[in-house]
Amino acid sequence: MRALLVGCGGISRAWLRSVMQMPDVEIVALVDIRPEAAQSLAQEFGLEAVPTGTDLERMLEQTAPEAVFNCTVPEAHAAVALTALRHGCHVLSEKPLAHSLEDATRMVAAAEAAGRILAVIQNRRYDARIRRLRHFVASGALGPITTVNCDFFIGAHFGGFRDHMEHVLLLDMAIHTFDQARFLTSADPVSVYCHEWNPAGSWYDRDASAVAIFEMSGGIVFTYRGSWCAEGLNTTWEGDWRIICERGTVSWDGADGFKAQAVAATGTFLSQLQEVAVPACDPGDRIGGHAGNIREFVRCVREGGIPETVASDNVKSLAMVFAAIESAREGKRVQVRI
Ligand SMILES: NC(=O)c1ccc[n+]([C@@H]2O[C@H](COP(=O)([O-])OP(=O)(O)OC[C@H]3O[C@@H](n4cnc5c(N)ncnc54)[C@H](O)[C@@H]3O)[C@@H](O)[C@H]2O)c1
């Protein structure tokens, strides 16, 4: 698959490290509005023979790729994807799909009209451990899910654009966690109440912490407590999860720590509980973070099929983010528009 990569900043390196291991993908051009960014990326990855440029439209005409890898900043995602689709390319974009729900809707419609795949990197799904957790809850070992909690607490000193960004936690990070919640529950979001704030002593300009309560389809409640400005006792980047089902509970620390208890006997004040193993499962090749996500996209482009993170589905995770932002702004519960 011949691919053009646009946006040669920090995350593009994770993409190229993955793509370099894929013999069926060829990078045919590198584009960035900062010419030096594209040139230094080319040098770093031994791609000196690959053309670099600042004008996406011209580079698309010149190199006619089948796919565009969109690693630009969120504000540029829509314009880049719409241009690429107009040129008949399939697009795999960094999260978040778009900077607004209106843009996301336009992008999904454009992909449909062009008959091309538009998909999003949600690398935290492409993890053998979350697939193991999902497989376990879906097996029904503990009965149907009723409640999902996730804690995300990291003291991240990024520097750069995030320090000044509005809704930085919700827009730049919680998209992962909200998407994980949809993945784990197979449920759709219905409504949300969210409180967003900047804790005293924060090194961000604004919005580094948030607490949100989502109602999901099937009556499931998903609660999120998150901060990028929490020093000490950090969670993993994958989050610290508790999933309560009708007949037991499972927890996952986002790393290798799984615990589960199921009701063995009930009828007393506290039920008798027994430890249950969370069995390993074959996660297939949808693992390895970016590599797994990119691999699936390439396979769908080459052989047909719909990637798990196709934009028409991923827009539901994005809708959770924008509904949480709206709720925080208005100080009331809002419906998630999907
Ligand atoms: N999936 C993940 O785990 C993960 C991790 C980090 C970042 N990201 C996402 O990746 C994207 C980029 O983040 P980053 O940290 O690499 O940012 P960055 O600022 O390091 O890089 C972005 C690059 O895009 C270029 N750019 C901006 N607008 C452009 C345009 N219109 N056309 C061409 N190039 C343009 C910039 O010049 C810059 O070189 C963001 O959407 C971010 O949320 C995802």
Side-chain angles (χ1 to χ4, degrees):
M1 192 189 78
R2 304 176 71 256
L4 174 153
L5 185 147
V6 52
C8 301
I11 201 64
S12 67
R13 283 153 175 93
W15 286 62
L16 286 188
R17 275 196 298 276
S18 300
V19 167
M20 290 304 175
Q21 310 299 318
M22 298 177 190
D24 50 353
V25 181
E26 182 193 357
I27 297 292
V28 296
L30 295 170
V31 178
D32 199 293
I33 47 174
R34 296 180 300 124
E36 70 282 5
Q39 285 152 12
S40 70
L41 192 67
Q43 262 169 23
E44 200 178 316
F45 283 88
L47 297 171
E48 291 90 344
V50 166
T52 62
T54 55
D55 183 338
L56 176 62
E57 195 104 39
R58 221 177 57 215
M59 296 299 280
L60 285 168
E61 278 158 19
Q62 201 178 310
T63 58
E66 289 167 88
V68 166
F69 292 154
N70 186 359
C71 302
T72 60
V73 292
E75 298 84 339
H77 286 179
V80 165
L82 292 171
T83 303
L85 289 166
R86 231 180 14 251
H87 281 259
C89 298
H90 301 277
V91 181
L92 182 60
S93 178
E94 257 308 339
K95 46 59 59 171
L97 171 61
H99 205 53
S100 73
L101 215 45
E102 290 67 29
D103 274 353
T105 308
R106 282 198 301 137
M107 292 157 79
V108 169
E112 252 165 47
R116 293 292 182 270
I117 298 171
L118 171 63
V120 185
I121 287 279
Q122 293 288 179
N123 45 304
R124 291 183 198 283
R125 280 181 180 231
Y126 290 72
D127 180 312
R129 300 159 305 180
I130 197 169
R131 289 192 183 266
R132 177 174 163 191
L133 178 63
R134 183 179 194 245
H135 186 259
F136 178 65
V137 288
S139 75
L142 304 178
I145 299 174
T146 69
T147 313
V148 178
N149 297 343
C150 183
D151 280 350
F152 176 90
F153 293 111
I154 305 244
H157 296 258
F158 290 103
F161 74 90
R162 291 182 182 83
D163 286 5
H164 314 291
M165 186 176 164
E166 258 188 305
H167 315 295
V168 59
L169 178 76
L170 288 173
L171 201 50
D172 202 57
M173 187 63 218
I175 180 70
H176 281 301
T177 319
F178 296 174
D179 186 67
Q180 286 171 294
R182 285 187 53 236
F183 176 65
L184 287 169
T185 58
S186 303
D188 287 335
V190 176
S191 69
V192 61
Y193 177 78
C194 179
H195 181 69
E196 188 188 35
W197 76 104
N198 204 27
S202 173
W203 53 93
Y204 293 84
D205 285 353
R206 53 200 303 161
D207 308 335
S209 297
V211 170
I213 305 167
F214 286 92
E215 183 193 345
M216 310 288 286
S217 55
I220 296 171
V221 172
F222 162 52
T223 64
Y224 169 78
R225 302 187 295 187
S227 180
W228 249 348
C229 176
E231 298 286 33
L233 300 181
N234 284 173
T235 63
T236 57
W237 285 84
E238 285 70 18
D240 196 24
W241 294 82
R242 171 183 285 254
I243 301 180
I244 305 170
C245 304
E246 286 183 18
R247 296 191 297 279
T249 293
V250 56
S251 70
W252 175 50
D253 64 5
D256 296 322
F258 294 89
K259 279 189 207 154
Q261 288 186 332
V263 173
T266 193
T268 46
F269 176 61
L270 292 178
S271 299
Q272 280 178 37
L273 299 164
Q274 65 184 19
E275 307 297 313
V276 179
V278 177
C281 73
D282 176 6
D285 70 349
R286 288 175 176 171
I287 55 171
H290 276 77
N293 211 155
I294 296 169
R295 216 169 20 237
E296 185 190 23
F297 172 79
V298 173
R299 190 175 53 240
C300 291
V301 167
R302 300 193 67 197
E303 298 170 14
I306 298 171
E308 197 173 290
T309 58
V310 67
S312 53
D313 182 74
N314 184 261
V315 77
K316 294 179 188 173
S317 301
L318 193 68
M320 292 172 79
V321 170
F322 287 113
I325 289 172
E326 187 187 335
S327 166
R329 193 181 286 134
E330 296 190 5
K332 63 178 194 196
R333 179 172 182 250
V334 302
Q335 297 296 306
V336 181
R337 287 180 290 132
I338 51 173

Short mmCIF file of all heavy atoms in Angstrom, two decimals, residues 2 11 67 73 91 102 116 118 157 171 177-178 185 188 193 201 205 234 239 244-245 252 273 296 321:
data_model
loop_
_atom_site.label_atom_id
_atom_site.label_comp_id
_atom_site.label_asym_id
_atom_site.label_seq_id
_atom_site.Cartn_x
_atom_site.Cartn_y
_atom_site.Cartn_z
N ARG A 2 0.65 2.12 -0.98
CA ARG A 2 1.47 3.34 -1.08
C ARG A 2 0.82 4.41 -0.22
O ARG A 2 -0.33 4.77 -0.42
CB ARG A 2 1.56 3.78 -2.54
CG ARG A 2 2.09 2.67 -3.46
CD ARG A 2 2.09 3.07 -4.94
NE ARG A 2 3.11 4.06 -5.22
CZ ARG A 2 2.90 5.36 -5.40
NH1 ARG A 2 1.68 5.84 -5.33
NH2 ARG A 2 3.89 6.18 -5.65
N ILE A 11 4.25 12.23 17.22
CA ILE A 11 3.62 10.91 17.11
C ILE A 11 3.94 10.23 15.78
O ILE A 11 3.86 9.00 15.67
CB ILE A 11 2.08 11.00 17.32
CG1 ILE A 11 1.51 9.65 17.72
CG2 ILE A 11 1.38 11.54 16.08
CD1 ILE A 11 1.99 9.12 19.04
N ALA A 67 -3.26 5.76 0.20
CA ALA A 67 -3.72 6.09 1.55
C ALA A 67 -2.94 7.27 2.12
O ALA A 67 -1.79 7.51 1.73
CB ALA A 67 -3.55 4.89 2.48
N VAL A 73 -2.01 18.03 13.86
CA VAL A 73 -2.68 18.44 15.11
C VAL A 73 -4.20 18.35 14.90
O VAL A 73 -4.69 18.43 13.76
CB VAL A 73 -2.27 19.88 15.50
CG1 VAL A 73 -0.80 19.92 15.90
CG2 VAL A 73 -2.54 20.87 14.37
N VAL A 91 -8.01 7.00 4.39
CA VAL A 91 -7.34 7.83 5.40
C VAL A 91 -7.34 7.13 6.76
O VAL A 91 -8.39 6.66 7.22
CB VAL A 91 -8.03 9.20 5.56
CG1 VAL A 91 -7.31 10.06 6.61
CG2 VAL A 91 -8.12 9.94 4.23
N GLU A 102 -19.30 18.59 14.20
CA GLU A 102 -19.76 18.98 12.86
C GLU A 102 -18.71 18.55 11.82
O GLU A 102 -19.05 17.99 10.78
CB GLU A 102 -20.00 20.50 12.78
CG GLU A 102 -21.19 21.01 13.58
CD GLU A 102 -21.00 20.88 15.10
OE1 GLU A 102 -19.84 20.94 15.59
OE2 GLU A 102 -22.02 20.69 15.80
N ARG A 116 -14.40 5.37 0.33
CA ARG A 116 -13.07 5.12 0.88
C ARG A 116 -13.17 4.90 2.39
O ARG A 116 -14.12 5.35 3.03
CB ARG A 116 -12.13 6.31 0.61
CG ARG A 116 -11.81 6.50 -0.87
CD ARG A 116 -10.95 5.35 -1.39
NE ARG A 116 -10.58 5.52 -2.78
CZ ARG A 116 -11.28 5.07 -3.82
NH1 ARG A 116 -12.43 4.45 -3.63
NH2 ARG A 116 -10.85 5.25 -5.06
N LEU A 118 -12.25 5.71 6.11
CA LEU A 118 -11.72 6.74 7.01
C LEU A 118 -11.74 6.12 8.40
O LEU A 118 -12.80 5.77 8.91
CB LEU A 118 -12.60 8.00 6.97
CG LEU A 118 -12.28 9.08 8.01
CD1 LEU A 118 -10.88 9.66 7.83
CD2 LEU A 118 -13.32 10.21 7.93
N HIS A 157 3.82 16.36 32.61
CA HIS A 157 4.40 17.69 32.33
C HIS A 157 4.84 17.71 30.87
O HIS A 157 6.01 17.46 30.57
CB HIS A 157 5.58 17.96 33.25
CG HIS A 157 5.20 18.03 34.70
ND1 HIS A 157 5.07 19.23 35.38
CD2 HIS A 157 4.91 17.06 35.60
CE1 HIS A 157 4.72 18.98 36.64
NE2 HIS A 157 4.61 17.68 36.79
N LEU A 171 -10.42 16.41 25.67
CA LEU A 171 -10.27 16.33 24.22
C LEU A 171 -9.04 15.53 23.80
O LEU A 171 -9.08 14.78 22.82
CB LEU A 171 -10.18 17.77 23.67
CG LEU A 171 -10.51 18.00 22.21
CD1 LEU A 171 -11.84 17.38 21.82
CD2 LEU A 171 -10.55 19.51 21.92
N THR A 177 -10.10 6.91 26.80
CA THR A 177 -10.80 6.19 27.88
C THR A 177 -12.27 5.98 27.51
O THR A 177 -12.84 4.91 27.77
CB THR A 177 -10.67 6.99 29.20
OG1 THR A 177 -9.35 7.51 29.30
CG2 THR A 177 -10.98 6.11 30.39
N PHE A 178 -12.88 7.01 26.93
CA PHE A 178 -14.30 6.88 26.55
C PHE A 178 -14.44 5.80 25.46
O PHE A 178 -15.37 5.00 25.47
CB PHE A 178 -14.86 8.21 26.06
CG PHE A 178 -14.90 9.31 27.11
CD1 PHE A 178 -15.26 10.61 26.78
CD2 PHE A 178 -14.56 9.04 28.44
CE1 PHE A 178 -15.30 11.61 27.74
CE2 PHE A 178 -14.59 10.04 29.41
CZ PHE A 178 -14.96 11.33 29.05
N THR A 185 -17.87 -2.34 26.95
CA THR A 185 -19.29 -2.58 27.24
C THR A 185 -20.09 -2.96 26.00
O THR A 185 -21.23 -3.44 26.13
CB THR A 185 -19.95 -1.31 27.84
OG1 THR A 185 -19.79 -0.24 26.90
CG2 THR A 185 -19.32 -0.92 29.16
N ASP A 188 -23.67 1.98 23.72
CA ASP A 188 -23.58 3.32 23.16
C ASP A 188 -23.89 4.36 24.24
O ASP A 188 -24.70 4.10 25.13
CB ASP A 188 -24.58 3.48 22.01
CG ASP A 188 -24.13 2.72 20.77
OD1 ASP A 188 -22.92 2.50 20.63
OD2 ASP A 188 -25.00 2.34 19.97
N TYR A 193 -23.22 13.78 32.63
CA TYR A 193 -23.04 14.95 33.48
C TYR A 193 -21.55 15.04 33.78
O TYR A 193 -20.93 14.06 34.21
CB TYR A 193 -23.81 14.83 34.81
CG TYR A 193 -23.54 16.01 35.70
CD1 TYR A 193 -24.17 17.22 35.47
CD2 TYR A 193 -22.59 15.95 36.71
CE1 TYR A 193 -23.88 18.34 36.23
CE2 TYR A 193 -22.29 17.06 37.47
CZ TYR A 193 -22.94 18.24 37.23
OH TYR A 193 -22.64 19.36 37.97
N GLY A 201 -2.62 24.88 41.84
CA GLY A 201 -1.23 24.45 41.62
C GLY A 201 -1.01 23.82 40.25
O GLY A 201 0.09 23.37 39.95
N ASP A 205 -2.89 25.76 31.79
CA ASP A 205 -3.66 27.01 31.85
C ASP A 205 -5.09 26.73 32.33
O ASP A 205 -5.73 27.57 32.92
CB ASP A 205 -3.75 27.66 30.46
CG ASP A 205 -2.45 28.31 30.05
OD1 ASP A 205 -1.53 28.37 30.91
OD2 ASP A 205 -2.33 28.75 28.89
N ASN A 234 0.20 7.53 40.52
CA ASN A 234 -0.36 7.57 39.15
C ASN A 234 -0.96 6.23 38.74
O ASN A 234 -0.46 5.17 39.12
CB ASN A 234 0.72 7.95 38.14
CG ASN A 234 1.06 9.44 38.17
OD1 ASN A 234 1.99 9.88 37.51
ND2 ASN A 234 0.30 10.23 38.91
N GLY A 239 -5.54 3.34 32.29
CA GLY A 239 -6.58 3.59 33.28
C GLY A 239 -6.76 2.40 34.22
O GLY A 239 -6.32 1.27 33.94
N ILE A 244 -18.54 -3.82 37.18
CA ILE A 244 -19.46 -4.53 38.07
C ILE A 244 -20.56 -5.18 37.20
O ILE A 244 -21.17 -4.51 36.36
CB ILE A 244 -20.10 -3.56 39.08
CG1 ILE A 244 -19.00 -2.81 39.86
CG2 ILE A 244 -21.02 -4.31 40.04
CD1 ILE A 244 -19.51 -1.68 40.71
N CYS A 245 -20.74 -6.46 37.42
CA CYS A 245 -21.76 -7.20 36.67
C CYS A 245 -22.80 -7.72 37.67
O CYS A 245 -22.62 -7.59 38.88
CB CYS A 245 -21.10 -8.36 35.91
SG CYS A 245 -19.77 -7.84 34.81
N TRP A 252 -9.20 -4.25 36.55
CA TRP A 252 -7.97 -4.30 35.72
C TRP A 252 -7.22 -3.00 35.96
O TRP A 252 -7.82 -1.92 35.88
CB TRP A 252 -8.35 -4.46 34.23
CG TRP A 252 -7.17 -4.40 33.31
CD1 TRP A 252 -6.01 -5.11 33.42
CD2 TRP A 252 -7.04 -3.60 32.11
NE1 TRP A 252 -5.16 -4.80 32.38
CE2 TRP A 252 -5.77 -3.89 31.57
CE3 TRP A 252 -7.86 -2.68 31.46
CZ2 TRP A 252 -5.30 -3.28 30.40
CZ3 TRP A 252 -7.40 -2.08 30.29
CH2 TRP A 252 -6.13 -2.38 29.77
N LEU A 273 -18.30 -15.05 48.16
CA LEU A 273 -17.65 -14.76 46.87
C LEU A 273 -16.52 -15.72 46.64
O LEU A 273 -15.86 -16.17 47.59
CB LEU A 273 -17.13 -13.32 46.88
CG LEU A 273 -18.23 -12.27 47.07
CD1 LEU A 273 -17.65 -10.93 47.46
CD2 LEU A 273 -19.06 -12.14 45.79
N GLU A 296 -4.39 -3.39 10.79
CA GLU A 296 -5.78 -3.70 10.45
C GLU A 296 -6.28 -2.81 9.31
O GLU A 296 -6.96 -3.25 8.38
CB GLU A 296 -6.68 -3.52 11.68
CG GLU A 296 -8.11 -3.97 11.39
CD GLU A 296 -9.08 -3.57 12.48
OE1 GLU A 296 -8.82 -2.64 13.24
OE2 GLU A 296 -10.14 -4.22 12.55
N VAL A 321 -17.00 12.88 24.15
CA VAL A 321 -16.11 13.97 24.55
C VAL A 321 -16.84 15.32 24.45
O VAL A 321 -16.83 16.11 25.40
CB VAL A 321 -14.84 13.99 23.64
CG1 VAL A 321 -14.03 15.25 23.89
CG2 VAL A 321 -14.00 12.75 23.87
#
